[in-house]
Amino acid sequence: MDAIHLRNVDFSYSNKAKLLSNVSLQIPSGHIHGLLGKNGEGKSTLLKLIAGLLFPQKGAVDVLAFEPRKRHPEMLRDIYFLSEELPVSTLSIAGFEKVYAPFYPNFSAEQFENHLKEFDILSKNWKMNQLSHGQKKKVIVAFALATRTKILLMDEPTNGLDIPSKGQFRRMAASALEEERCIIISTHQVRDLDSLIDTIIIMDEHEIVINESIDTITDRLLFRVKETNEPDDTVIHSEDTLRGIYQVCENRMHEDSKLDIELLFNSVYINKKRIQQIFHPQA
Amino acid sequence: MKTTLFNFNRFGLLFRRYFTERLHTEVIYWSIMIIAFLFLRNFIFGIGFLFFVAGAFYAARFFREIHSSTNGVAFFMIPATQFEKTVMAIIMTTFYYFWMMTASYTIGNLLGTLLNNTLASVPFIALGYMELNELFYRSPLQWVLFETPAFFYTMYDVAQENSYSYFGIFSRVFLLLQSIFLLGGIYFKNNQAFKTFFVTSVIPVLFFIVFVLEMRLIAGSETAIAHVEAEDFFHIRDIFVRILNGALCLLPPFFWVVCYFRLTEKQV
């Protein structure tokens, strides 16, 4: 079942060029979706449209069979939006939980406690405004995961997290996935989502270029490392590195390979048309 | 948790959120008010001014978080209807504010009178501070805020046939101002109180225009206005006061409805 459905959505901030143009997107539950794109491509805007914080100028958005712009409480209690910038709060962690948790009927205090422990947040009496940005992010991420909402939107959740915490975040997010839950993680730090996401949405020039599962991507694209750069018409994009030449190729023989998100991301920007032809040959 | 337009559980949670988040600010705010009333206790114009000005700021700043991209997101993502959020804002900026301001006045007045009379009983002359003796006089406890001030009788000809109630007019003006400033707080991104005040200053001009138009309708022409008899003038004034009363009754609910729709349409 699609948790989120966008149909021909246009959006622009006043007096500016279109940020999203004729965007159509179906996002099913039961997956962790990585929303990738350069800065200013409209990733956060897309998340805000889904959350009902912004309204489309054209087209329709359906979220859990609700129209997000109406901000129906039944929809809001099943969505948690973790914004890139964190809200200012003078509350303690325990106070924050006491105030906001009752709004979410499926909130698990036990999960929240466990996530905090995993993130080395040792006391719930710590004041939110006295925490570092990274610690505050950990608290909000832990809270977001513990709400157990059907839709979890995370905008750059790994920004401000140290390297061990990024790994902890990946583990926790993976464990938080349930069949009825849809997690969307927006980032431009593609390496942070390695081994976490199972569906990739890539935005470029204000449109969706790819919205495919990793299985489909690796079925149609081959990621390989070569020692020499021999002419090959299947090669879409290649990058010279100290370890060899990393290539993204058309997977005509349906060979198995491991997805390299960064390589895929770069190949979309360099050879968008070819990638689109591979995934949408009829378009 | 039921999901109708209004749910008492969610409504209660909104209040709990407000008081937990802003407890510190509230304590400071009302402490300042008590201190101000300590000094203003028998000065009705000062009390009235503080009542309205502090109220305007309180209402105008109530929704300040919705203009911040971070706290605005948090506010709109709270699973409660915009109706519940608006009703909560109305209660806080009118009834709660009124109650708290009255309580602050009561405490400030009691403490102020007590302090004043204690100081007045100290023989400063004997202590060598002669000039201080002239500063403090014993004064009885008065409750000027709860009494109808003398100027009101002058203004309305000893409450003409007793049809004008001081408290009634005071409450209606207060409700109107609070509703206007609440709307201003949603409408303007920053300096909400000042911008709303600037826009609101147009309202007396509009009332004046209505008054002049009435005069013209009755007197016939602009030149004839100067020759309007005193009796006719009182008649016109009565009609104008009725219109004013009607406006004072209808405008606050109107502004609250606009607040609701403005909040519903607000994007962050």
Side-chain angles (χ1 to χ4, degrees), chain A residues 11 13 48 51-56 69-74 76-81 83 85-91 95-96 98-100 102-105 153, chain B residues 1-5 9-11 13-14 16-18 20-22 24 65 69-74 76-82 84-85 263-268:
Chain A
F11 182 83
Y13 290 99
K48 284 185 171 183
L53 295 165
L54 293 173
F55 310 149
R69 68 177 295 159
K70 289 187 177 163
R71 295 172 186 154
H72 200 288
E74 202 169 308
L76 291 174
R77 71 182 192 179
D78 264 325
I79 291 191
Y80 195 88
F81 181 80
S83 56
E85 290 169 57
L86 303 172
V88 182
S89 178
T90 52
L91 298 174
F96 185 84
K98 189 180 146 199
V99 166
Y100 291 99
F103 284 107
Y104 300 95
L153 308 170
Chain B
M1 198 184 284
K2 285 189 179 174
T3 53
T4 45
L5 182 68
N9 187 20
R10 285 195 304 253
F11 194 56
L13 289 175
L14 285 177
R16 184 156 85 166
R17 173 185 174 267
Y18 179 88
T20 319
E21 286 262 20
R22 297 197 194 175
H24 193 64
E65 65 185 321
S69 59
T70 50
N71 288 354
V73 167
F76 285 110
M77 290 308 291
I78 292 172
T81 60
Q82 306 312 305
E84 288 157 350
K85 291 172 188 174
L263 201 63
T264 310
E265 289 301 312
K266 179 81 183 160
Q267 301 182 60
V268 281

Side-chain angles (χ1 to χ4, degrees), chain B residues 37 40-48 105 109 140-151 166:
Chain B
F37 283 126
L40 293 171
R41 62 193 190 284
N42 294 330
F43 180 42
I44 185 64
F45 284 106
I47 292 169
Y105 165 74
N109 192 25
L141 185 63
Q142 291 175 65
W143 298 100
V144 292
L145 183 67
F146 306 133
E147 291 160 6
T148 306
F151 73 86
Y166 167 66

Side-chain angles (χ1 to χ4, degrees), chain A residues 219-274:
Chain A
D219 185 55
R220 297 187 191 173
L221 298 174
L222 178 70
F223 298 84
R224 66 183 182 195
V225 188
K226 286 275 218 178
E227 284 183 5
T228 54
N229 204 356
E230 291 151 11
D232 182 351
D233 69 334
T234 64
V235 175
I236 300 166
H237 172 64
S238 63
E239 284 175 16
D240 231 338
T241 69
L242 289 172
R243 289 181 188 170
I245 299 160
Y246 281 72
Q247 293 182 327
V248 181
C249 314
E250 279 186 54
N251 196 0
R252 290 178 185 161
M253 307 303 289
H254 298 284
E255 292 171 59
D256 285 336
S257 65
K258 191 180 179 299
L259 170 75
D260 183 326
I261 302 178
E262 198 169 307
L263 205 56
L264 170 71
F265 188 72
N266 291 338
S267 62
V268 166
Y269 287 104
I270 286 158
N271 212 336
K272 186 165 98 178
K273 277 194 177 165
R274 192 152 168 206

Side-chain angles (χ1 to χ4, degrees), chain A:
Chain A
M1 184 200 144
D2 291 331
I4 299 162
H5 194 176
L6 281 86
R7 287 186 297 274
N8 311 106
V9 167
D10 277 6
F11 182 83
S12 62
Y13 290 99
S14 54
N15 307 324
K16 285 182 185 170
K18 269 185 190 170
L19 192 56
L20 297 177
S21 176
N22 205 30
V23 168
S24 292
L25 190 63
Q26 282 172 287
I27 305 177
S29 301
H31 299 274
I32 300 180
H33 307 264
L35 177 60
L36 314 176
K38 288 187 291 189
N39 291 331
E41 282 297 344
K43 302 188 297 292
S44 303
T45 303
L46 186 66
L47 294 185
K48 284 185 171 183
L49 283 164
I50 293 168
L53 295 165
L54 293 173
F55 310 149
Q57 271 110 33
K58 212 191 89 190
V61 184
D62 286 330
V63 174
L64 303 170
F66 290 101
E67 199 184 336
R69 68 177 295 159
K70 289 187 177 163
R71 295 172 186 154
H72 200 288
E74 202 169 308
M75 182 200 78
L76 291 174
R77 71 182 192 179
D78 264 325
I79 291 191
Y80 195 88
F81 181 80
L82 178 84
S83 56
E84 186 182 0
E85 290 169 57
L86 303 172
V88 182
S89 178
T90 52
L91 298 174
S92 64
I93 299 169
F96 185 84
E97 182 189 9
K98 189 180 146 199
V99 166
Y100 291 99
F103 284 107
Y104 300 95
N106 298 323
F107 181 84
S108 162
E110 194 188 332
Q111 261 186 36
F112 183 50
E113 195 108 6
N114 291 340
H115 292 328
L116 287 178
K117 271 184 198 157
E118 206 164 334
F119 271 141
D120 293 325
I121 304 287
L122 305 172
S123 170
K124 276 190 181 178
N125 295 326
W126 291 354
K127 294 265 180 193
M128 297 282 279
N129 58 353
Q130 287 166 1
L131 300 176
S132 70
H133 179 77
Q135 283 177 314
K136 206 160 130 186
K137 193 115 197 182
K138 287 174 184 177
V139 173
I140 306 283
V141 165
F143 185 85
L145 294 170
T147 56
R148 297 168 67 204
T149 51
K150 284 184 183 161
I151 294 176
L152 178 53
L153 308 170
M154 298 173 134
D155 194 6
E156 306 285 356
T158 52
N159 267 9
L161 293 187
D162 50 34
I163 293 165
S165 302
K166 284 180 182 182
Q168 286 160 345
F169 165 74
R170 280 195 291 267
R171 275 198 301 280
M172 289 194 297
S175 68
L177 184 66
E178 291 163 21
E179 205 175 314
E180 281 206 340
R181 200 168 197 191
C182 169
I183 301 177
I184 304 177
I185 301 171
S186 146
T187 189
H188 58 270
Q189 296 175 18
V190 291
R191 290 255 180 243
D192 290 349
L193 301 186
D194 217 13
S195 73
L196 173 64
I197 53 175
D198 53 14
T199 307
I200 291 180
I201 304 165
I202 298 182
M203 294 183 75
D204 182 42
E205 293 174 336
H206 317 299
E207 60 173 10
I208 307 290
V209 183
I210 285 185
N211 176 23
E212 303 289 346
S213 69
I214 286 180
D215 288 344
T216 311
I217 292 169
T218 50
D219 185 55
R220 297 187 191 173
L221 298 174
L222 178 70
F223 298 84
R224 66 183 182 195
V225 188
K226 286 275 218 178
E227 284 183 5
T228 54
N229 204 356
E230 291 151 11
D232 182 351
D233 69 334
T234 64
V235 175
I236 300 166
H237 172 64
S238 63
E239 284 175 16
D240 231 338
T241 69
L242 289 172
R243 289 181 188 170
I245 299 160
Y246 281 72
Q247 293 182 327
V248 181
C249 314
E250 279 186 54
N251 196 0
R252 290 178 185 161
M253 307 303 289
H254 298 284
E255 292 171 59
D256 285 336
S257 65
K258 191 180 179 299
L259 170 75
D260 183 326
I261 302 178
E262 198 169 307
L263 205 56
L264 170 71
F265 188 72
N266 291 338
S267 62
V268 166
Y269 287 104
I270 286 158
N271 212 336
K272 186 165 98 178
K273 277 194 177 165
R274 192 152 168 206
I275 294 278
Q276 278 177 321
Q277 275 168 2
I278 291 168
F279 287 97
H280 311 287
Q282 71 280 16

